[in-house]
Amino acid sequence: MATWMDCSQIDLDLELPLAKRFLPHQAAMRAAADDLLTAMKKDLPAGVSHLAHLVDLRTFGRFRSEAKAQAKVMGINWRDLMLAGAAYDLTLAYFGCSTIAAATSEGPVLARNMDWWPERQLARHSYVIRNMRKGRAETTVAGWPGSIGLVTGMSAHGFALAMNAVGDGVGLHKTGYPVMLHLRRVVDECKSFGEAVERVSKQTLAAPCLVTIVGTENDERVCVERMPTTANLRYADGDSPLLTTNHFRFGEGDSRDGVGTLQSTSCGRLQGMQDMLRDKEEELSDEHLLYILSGERVRLAITAQHIIMRPRENRLRLCVPKSLLESN
């Protein structure tokens, strides 16, 4: 019996003005504000509310109008959405993730667990969010109503990306661009796999991260291992799966740490994915990948989402663990 459940979909019409774009989804957005956003705010470090203004300045107002439009529908302060968009940089220790970029006869597939806080509320409010123009999904995101930044997304221009947490022992790079908001720009603006890799590699970031990017061909699979100001590119070895958890892997013997207690599980999850992929005897179906991602050697207590993206088909599937939807 499957331990996961498929999530619903929200389509946003890009041809509508911002003031009207989110109104059809007001019920879902207000529910997310009351439950998920409230839980997120409780766990943010004390005294960070003033940082919303700094995030807005650092992003040159790029997300301000959208944040205000969504906040009005949700009945909240738009600055709360700006802070949520920088949550990764502010609370790095809460995040994890396990990611597979695999070659198949139908092009590459990017499958990942999103190990994210607060996992129970996030699972309840997870949606496939498609930004539509003339009946076509220009971008597709595994997100929640009100989200501005992203950690898992796909572009109709033939690429998908997923971010995993990693630590460098240094902390916040105050002049860097917030990671989730930069990845949103990459998915929105880049026109090819190559351009996405370049944009992820070159931007100075507020925090370290690992970003797996896949295109429409099997040789278009890479993990960009980012420090705030530098990048290493780790490409797939032939048709072998490219795997990422929560430690730097570029070069053998790299001693840089993972993220908090996640470091102790990072290598075990990596080995679990390797073993289960090695045992496969057939093409990687969605169900086979979901079986791997939900396995006890890969899934964590904070695994809130299972996501599968196939850029050649412009298709994203989002599931959440059924156990997180049960009453406490």
Side-chain angles (χ1 to χ4, degrees), residues 33-84:
D34 292 342
D35 188 22
L36 174 58
L37 195 59
T38 298
M40 291 178 68
K41 288 173 64 178
K42 287 181 180 178
D43 285 329
L44 286 173
V48 300
S49 58
H50 70 285
L51 293 179
H53 176 65
L54 297 179
V55 172
D56 185 46
L57 288 177
R58 181 62 189 87
T59 56
F60 307 103
R62 161 74 164 75
F63 303 98
R64 186 187 309 145
S65 295
E66 180 180 339
K68 288 184 175 181
Q70 295 203 68
K72 185 176 181 179
V73 174
M74 298 171 82
I76 60 173
N77 191 310
W78 69 276
R79 293 175 179 84
D80 289 342
L81 296 183
M82 295 300 294
L83 281 178

Side-chain angles (χ1 to χ4, degrees), residues 22-202:
F22 304 102
L23 285 174
H25 312 290
Q26 185 174 46
M29 296 182 73
R30 293 218 165 181
D34 292 342
D35 188 22
L36 174 58
L37 195 59
T38 298
M40 291 178 68
K41 288 173 64 178
K42 287 181 180 178
D43 285 329
L44 286 173
V48 300
S49 58
H50 70 285
L51 293 179
H53 176 65
L54 297 179
V55 172
D56 185 46
L57 288 177
R58 181 62 189 87
T59 56
F60 307 103
R62 161 74 164 75
F63 303 98
R64 186 187 309 145
S65 295
E66 180 180 339
K68 288 184 175 181
Q70 295 203 68
K72 185 176 181 179
V73 174
M74 298 171 82
I76 60 173
N77 191 310
W78 69 276
R79 293 175 179 84
D80 289 342
L81 296 183
M82 295 300 294
L83 281 178
Y88 171 74
D89 315 277
L90 298 173
T91 55
L92 188 61
Y94 285 106
F95 308 120
C97 304
S98 301
T99 301
I100 302 167
T104 80
S105 61
E106 298 178 346
V109 57
L110 183 53
R112 63 93 51 90
N113 277 347
M114 192 173 81
D115 305 329
W116 213 253
W117 126 101
E119 66 280 358
R120 192 171 294 275
Q121 289 88 343
L122 180 56
R124 285 199 291 260
H125 300 283
S126 288
Y127 288 85
V128 176
I129 300 176
R130 302 196 306 170
N131 290 289
M132 308 293 292
R133 195 183 304 276
K134 299 187 187 311
R136 176 177 181 255
E138 290 193 353
T139 63
T140 309
V141 174
W144 53 275
S147 56
I148 297 174
L150 65 84
V151 293
T152 313
M154 182 174 61
S155 167
H157 291 290
F159 67 88
L161 61 79
M163 186 268 284
N164 288 36
V166 72
D168 64 356
V170 176
L172 186 68
H173 188 77
K174 295 181 180 179
T175 60
Y177 207 97
V179 172
M180 293 164 58
L181 296 176
H182 180 57
L183 296 181
R184 164 70 186 278
R185 291 194 305 173
V186 170
V187 170
D188 281 354
E189 299 170 10
C190 291
K191 305 302 181 186
S192 67
F193 166 81
E195 184 181 356
V197 173
E198 182 178 18
R199 288 281 297 275
V200 170
S201 300
K202 291 188 174 181

